[in-house]
Each structure stands twice: as structure tokens, then as C-alpha cells.
Amino acid sequence: MNKINRPDLLAVDGGGSGCRVALVWQGIRLEATGGPANVFTDPEAGAAAIDEALIHIASKAGIRRRDLSALPAYMGVAGVMTHAQGVALAQRLRLPGAVIEDDRRAGVTGALGASDGVVAMLGTGSFFARVTGEGMTVIGGWGHRFSDEGSGAWIGARLLRAAFRAADGRGPDSPLVAEFLDAHGGALGLLRSHATAGAERLAALAPAVFDAPEDPVARVILEAAVTTVKSALADLGWDGADPVCLAGGIGPRLAPHFGAPLRPPEGSALDGALRLAERLAQERGA
């Protein structure tokens, strides 16, 4: 295992589909995963998922869980809406010196590194960011019921709508939708199984759309996703010429359909959280 030139650091990327932890310990980077960690939709379950991942990463490093409390730590966690909420979560996790914010800064920092640019962060949810010399501007990310354009949940919800339209005889002839309805016992079965579906459950439907790009319904959904993402980026001042970074779990899958200049993400949200933890260590003189 190659050693890296970084101080001991702790970083967390906590999202609605799961959390990931990175620990740099004695020059070795270790990683662990945990369950869904959106602390807005389920604060206790989200904190418990992060705590479980922290226990796992400490075990991997051969140290005690409490040894993590002394490390410079940055956590990007979905659903952290205020500074006070971040402080409370740090105390709940027994990491009093950790900086905990929502997951957007870590995602953008991972995608762009130290450079300027525009990012569409498309995962279970979504948000859009532009970084310039003046700072970072972020829009979106208000949840799948009100926002999250082009996200996995957004795409999954549109597949559901297309299925119910088809059941009413209003949609095009679509093998994807026919198979989808059949797999769930028709429209009534689909309603029973998804009437209260949250963002994670909706996002789990998105891969079926990407796996059938020639299907007429899938094509319409993907075209709509591209259109709504481009519209959000235009609201940030994107002119259509500068390369866009499509990041997150959904971003790379939408890239072949995007039809505009693209730049690959430099790294993941966990990489971004680790970079921010290192910046924190430098500020504290660690």
C-alpha cells in the first residue's frame, strides 16, 4: 500500500443513498461505507449510519474510535441546514472539532479541485454550482418534491408517471414501461409499492431508464433531464460554451446524452471532503 504525503485526517461524505468515510492515518488512506445519512429526512438514522462507518474505519486503522476525535475532520452531510445543526451533529458523533456542513461544498471541491468551473451534481438529489475567483454560488438541492432537477429521484418519478399514463392508454408503445408495469403487477401494484416512495426508492428506478436509451419513453425522460440541467446551469450564468462537470452517481450516465462540452470530475465528494479536511488542518497548524 502506497503512502501519501498528508497529515492524519478524517473526512465524511454523507448522502441520501449512503455515507463514505476516508481516514488518512500514518500516510495511508483507508475508506469505509455506511448506510443512508441524510440527517434532514431521518436525523437519528443518519447520525447512526455515520457513527457505524466511523467505528469501521477506526477498526481498519487499528485504533480506537475515540482516537478519531483528535483529528482534523471535515464532513459534508446531506440535510445539514444550519451551522448549529452541524455543531450538534459533531457533538452527537463525539467529534467536537469537526466541521460539518451540507454535502454541496465537498461535492464541488471534489469535482473541480482548485479550479473554477460549473458543476451539475446529480445523484439521488441534485444541485448546481459555479465557482469563480469571487467564490461559490449554489442553487437547487431542496429535495425531490420541490427541486433536484435531473437527479435520480427526478428521473425515477418520471418513469412512474409514464407508467401510469401508459396504463391509461395515453402513452407511447414502450417496452420499458410495459416491462416495468408487468414486474409490479400492473398500475395498481405499482401504486401500492411506490405511493409513499422517498427519494432513494425513486432514484433506484433511474438505472432502468439509462439501460434502455433507445426506448421512446426513456429517450423522452433523458432529453427532459438534459434540458432541465442545462436550464439550471444557465441560471448560474453558464453560456453553453464552457465545459460542464457532470458529477455524482447520475452525472456520468447522463453525459453521453448531454450534447455540450464536458470536463470529467477530478474526484469524488469524498475526495473533496478530504481536501477540505486538509485545508482545515493547515489553518489549525496541524
Side-chain angles (χ1 to χ4, degrees), residues 2 4 19 37-38 42-43 54 77 99 117 119 124 128 130 137 142 147 166 175 207 237 239 243 248 264 271 274:
N2 295 328
I4 57 177
C19 68
N38 187 317
D42 194 335
L54 292 173
V77 180
V99 172
V119 179
T124 299
F128 308 90
R130 183 182 185 189
T137 303
W142 297 107
S147 180
D239 61 5
D271 295 324
L274 204 55

Side-chain angles (χ1 to χ4, degrees), residues 168-274:
D168 286 339
R170 302 168 63 200
D173 184 16
S174 164
L176 170 64
V177 169
E179 292 173 9
F180 185 55
L181 282 166
D182 185 63
H184 290 85
L188 185 56
L190 191 59
L191 180 63
R192 286 171 175 160
S193 62
H194 287 79
T196 60
E200 294 78 20
R201 188 97 183 273
L202 293 173
L205 304 177
V209 176
F210 286 107
D211 290 343
E214 300 305 317
D215 182 272
V217 166
R219 189 164 58 246
V220 168
I221 293 173
L222 293 175
E223 289 173 354
V226 168
T227 297
T228 195
V229 168
K230 287 182 176 179
S231 176
L233 293 172
D235 290 340
L236 284 170
W238 178 64
D239 61 5
D242 292 336
V244 174
C245 182
L246 298 180
I250 293 295
R253 301 206 69 176
L254 192 63
H257 310 277
F258 200 69
L262 297 174
R263 58 179 287 186
E266 290 195 14
S268 67
L270 187 59
D271 295 324
L274 204 55

Side-chain angles (χ1 to χ4, degrees), residues 3 7 11 28 35 46 56 65 78 128 156 160 196 199 202-203 221 244 280:
K3 288 202 170 186
I28 302 298
H56 187 194
R65 164 66 172 82
F128 308 90
L160 281 170
T196 60
L202 293 173
I221 293 173
V244 174
L280 186 64

Side-chain angles (χ1 to χ4, degrees), residues 13-130:
D13 168 34
S17 297
C19 68
R20 297 184 301 156
V21 178
L23 171 67
V24 176
W25 183 256
Q26 297 181 351
I28 302 298
R29 175 171 170 169
L30 303 169
E31 294 188 14
T33 59
N38 187 317
V39 297
F40 181 80
T41 57
D42 194 335
E44 278 305 309
I50 297 171
D51 193 35
E52 181 180 354
L54 292 173
I55 293 170
H56 187 194
I57 201 73
S59 176
K60 271 192 171 185
I63 61 178
R64 299 166 297 181
R65 164 66 172 82
R66 65 173 179 262
D67 292 332
L68 299 177
S69 63
L71 299 181
Y74 181 90
M75 302 185 178
V77 180
V80 174
M81 309 301 289
T82 66
H83 173 73
Q85 189 181 2
V87 171
L89 180 57
Q91 293 174 344
R92 161 73 170 77
L93 295 171
R94 303 184 303 284
L95 297 171
V99 172
I100 304 181
E101 300 178 317
D102 68 53
D103 55 349
R104 296 180 295 181
R105 184 175 299 277
V108 174
T109 301
L112 295 181
S115 63
D116 293 350
V118 289
V119 179
M121 187 63 63
L122 308 172
T124 299
S126 72
F127 66 86
F128 308 90
R130 183 182 185 189

Side-chain angles (χ1 to χ4, degrees), residues 133-146:
E134 298 178 355
M136 182 173 72
T137 303
V138 180
I139 60 174
W142 297 107
H144 71 284
R145 291 185 178 87
F146 314 111

